[in-house]
Amino acid sequence: NVTNSLTIPIADRTHSTTSWYKDKQVNKLMLIVHDTQGNTAQESIIQINRNATEGFDPAFDSHFLKGFAPQFYSVIDGVEYSTNTLPELTALSDIPFNFIKNQSSDYYINVEGVDNLEPGEKVYLIDYKTSTTQLLNSNPVYYFTAQEGDAAARFALHFGALGVNNNHFSENITLLASGNDII
């Protein structure tokens, strides 16, 4: 039998009334959907790690497992994630989120970590059912209702400028207007 011990001398012990503070987590978004009637919640995490891939990484990602709370998860190539780690944020792609209601009909999504993205990005939540887009940087809480039969593919996260494509054309384009025609 091995007996181990650890002794901390009295002179090295410290006590403080200051609360313990966690370091802020950089490049991690936590989206929490709350069921206001049943008081349940479901978390979904998006994080950035340059060692991750676009697909499933056992070291970084986790599959979604449903329970009694509303189902809320990101989807990439048909795989459902509760934690989705990507190698980088790109302004050209959206991260789709599925939502499946439970017995309630009133919900809200609270997003944490928007201000901890490096470099600072604008983050939008898109609700395809209501055609609503909300800038989460200035308002991280989104209220919505859901009914039976709603499409699961309801939400997406979008990073960067909204509605602006960063297309670079190698040729000049000339537009001519003649009456009601554009050539």
Side-chain angles (χ1 to χ4, degrees), residues 159-181:
F159 300 91
L162 190 63
V164 176
N165 292 331
N166 296 324
N167 294 330
H168 300 284
F169 296 100
S170 60
E171 298 178 20
N172 291 330
I173 297 174
T174 302
L175 296 175
L176 302 173
S178 175
N180 290 332
D181 297 326

Side-chain angles (χ1 to χ4, degrees), residues 73-137:
Y73 50 88
S74 61
V75 181
I76 303 292
D77 294 331
V79 179
E80 301 170 352
Y81 294 89
S82 64
T83 299
N84 188 352
T85 306
L86 302 168
E88 64 182 342
L89 293 177
T90 62
L92 299 177
S93 63
D94 295 335
I95 299 174
F97 277 83
N98 281 7
F99 175 83
I100 300 172
K101 71 183 274 355
N102 56 6
Q103 67 280 2
S104 300
S105 57
D106 295 320
Y107 303 91
Y108 68 93
I109 298 171
N110 183 36
V111 182
E112 300 173 2
V114 173
D115 295 330
N116 298 330
L117 295 178
E118 291 182 359
E121 287 281 346
K122 288 188 177 182
V123 182
Y124 296 91
L125 179 70
I126 301 168
D127 183 342
Y128 293 116
K129 178 183 177 186
T130 63
S131 299
T132 302
T133 300
Q134 181 169 307
L135 177 62
L136 297 173
N137 302 71

